[in-house]
């Protein structure tokens, strides 16, 4: 059974940094691409960024490109989201999810974890 557990959220001031983590279990983590998505208060899910199975390829939403970085440690079954120069509009619950492919050339699976909340405020 696929399990994805996000952590690392919290409150941060605008311009600050945060690192989110997602520990995966129940499937061969290193074989599948992964994604981060977020849901701001009162809004739908928004894709943030994706990484291929081995970590050599990444892609980002325009809203976070140049500020956020997705990485992974396949030895530890862990996905990361490095958030830099955060803005109030980055406030959301962040979820990790997997693709059913080694590359992000298909739709990602619906998020199943509880997410981790990030609040950007001064």
């Amino acid at each position: 059974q696929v399990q994805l557990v996000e952590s690392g959220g919290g409150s941060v001031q605008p311009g600050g940094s945060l690192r989110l983590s997602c520990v995966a279990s129940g499937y061969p983590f290193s074989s599948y691409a992964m994604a981060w998505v977020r849901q701001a208060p009162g809004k739908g899910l928004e894709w943030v960024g994706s990484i291929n199975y081995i970590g050599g390829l990444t892609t980002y939403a325009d809203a976070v490109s140049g500020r956020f970085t997705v990485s992974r440690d396949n030895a530890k079954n862990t996905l990361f989201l490095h958030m830099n120069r955060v803005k109030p509009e980055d406030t959301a619950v962040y979820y990790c999810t997997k693709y059913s492919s080694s590359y992000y050339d298909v739709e990602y699976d619906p998020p199943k974890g509880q997410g981790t909340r990030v609040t950007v405020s001064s």
Side-chain angles (χ1 to χ4, degrees):
Q1 182 178 356
V2 173
Q3 280 201 315
L4 298 168
V5 180
E6 303 92 345
S7 64
S11 295
V12 59
Q13 293 188 339
S17 298
L18 209 58
R19 188 185 77 164
L20 307 185
S21 300
C22 166
V23 177
S25 62
Y27 75 103
F29 176 75
S30 61
S31 295
Y32 294 93
M34 295 292 294
W36 284 99
V37 299
R38 66 186 181 184
Q39 187 165 24
K43 297 188 177 181
L45 276 177
E46 177 189 19
W47 168 72
V48 174
S50 300
I51 189 167
N52 74 328
Y53 74 110
I54 204 168
L57 292 173
T58 55
T59 185
Y60 301 94
D62 288 345
V64 307
S65 183
R67 300 188 298 120
F68 290 10
T69 302
V70 180
S71 65
R72 64 192 299 162
D73 184 342
N74 284 347
K76 297 182 178 179
N77 284 5
T78 303
L79 178 75
F80 300 101
L81 180 65
H82 308 264
M83 305 171 64
N84 296 314
R85 304 194 307 279
V86 297
K87 303 176 180 180
E89 51 264 44
D90 295 322
T91 295
V93 177
Y94 285 73
Y95 302 89
C96 64
T97 187
K98 62 178 288 295
Y99 290 86
S100 57
S101 170
S102 297
Y103 295 89
Y104 38 83
D105 53 353
V106 297
E107 194 61 46
Y108 52 77
D109 296 348
K112 295 183 178 180
Q114 84 287 353
T116 186
R117 184 177 300 276
V118 173
T119 302
V120 183
S121 174
S122 55

